[in-house]
Amino acid sequence: MHPRQHAYQAGKSTESALYQLVGRIEKALDAKELALGIFFDIEGAFDNTPCNAVRTALEWKIHRAVKNCIITLIQRRTVCVKNEYTYITVTTKQGLPQGGGLSPTLWSAVADSLLKLLSKQGVYAQGYADDGVVLIIGK
C-alpha cells in the first residue's frame, strides 16, 4: 500500500494520518511557504465501487486465480431482505460487501491507485479509508 494510506493497516490510524499531514504543513510553514489543503470524502465508496476498479487495482498485486475468484464473488453476490411480509432477492452489479472481511482491503487497493496517480503528478495526497486530502505547497 501507498505509504500515505492510513486505513485498515496495522500501525496506522487517524492519528498517524494527522501526524503526517500536520508535519508536512509545519515543514511548509517553517520554509515560509503556503499550504492549501483540499479535503474530500468519497460518498458511497463501498456501495459504488465498480468491479473493474477492483480488477484494475489488483492487477499486479495477487495471483490471477485469486483475483478472478474475488471478482466473481463481487459480481455474483446476492443480497436478501426478509421481513414478516416480504422476501426480496437482488443480484448486485457493483459495490463491496458491507462488513465483509475483505472489503476494506479491496477498497484500500482501489484508493491506493488514486494516491499513486496523484503522487506521480507531484501532488502530495494522503488517504484514510474513503477520506482524503490533497495538499499543495508553494510560495
Side-chain angles (χ1 to χ4, degrees):
M1 290 291 162
H2 194 281
R4 292 192 298 264
Q5 171 60 272
H6 291 269
Y8 313 120
Q9 299 175 68
K12 296 216 174 169
S13 64
T14 53
E15 289 179 9
S16 67
L18 285 170
Y19 182 80
Q20 190 177 58
L21 180 62
V22 169
R24 184 81 170 145
I25 293 169
E26 286 176 340
K27 183 179 173 184
L29 295 176
D30 287 345
K32 305 289 188 220
E33 295 178 314
L34 299 174
L36 171 66
I38 302 164
F39 296 82
F40 60 90
D41 177 7
I42 300 172
E43 186 176 339
F46 280 72
D47 292 337
N48 299 311
T49 302
C51 289
N52 285 339
V54 175
R55 181 181 287 116
T56 301
L58 297 178
E59 195 63 40
W60 303 107
K61 293 184 171 95
I62 62 173
H63 190 276
R64 187 180 76 212
V66 175
K67 178 184 70 171
N68 289 341
C69 180
I70 290 169
I71 297 302
T72 300
L73 288 171
I74 293 171
Q75 286 179 330
R76 297 189 182 160
R77 199 163 32 99
T78 303
V79 178
C80 304
V81 177
K82 179 182 177 183
N83 67 20
E84 58 186 291
Y85 305 109
T86 308
Y87 182 77
I88 301 170
T89 303
V90 177
T91 302
T92 63
K93 295 184 180 191
Q94 65 183 22
L96 303 171
Q98 294 291 326
L102 189 57
S103 297
T105 302
L106 295 176
W107 170 253
S108 291
V110 172
D112 192 61
S113 59
L114 173 62
L115 293 176
K116 286 179 180 174
L117 174 71
L118 291 169
S119 293
K120 284 181 184 176
Q121 301 296 320
V123 175
Y124 180 90
Q126 184 178 308
Y128 183 86
D130 62 347
D131 298 315
V133 61
V134 174
L135 190 63
I136 301 167
I137 296 173
K139 299 233 182 246

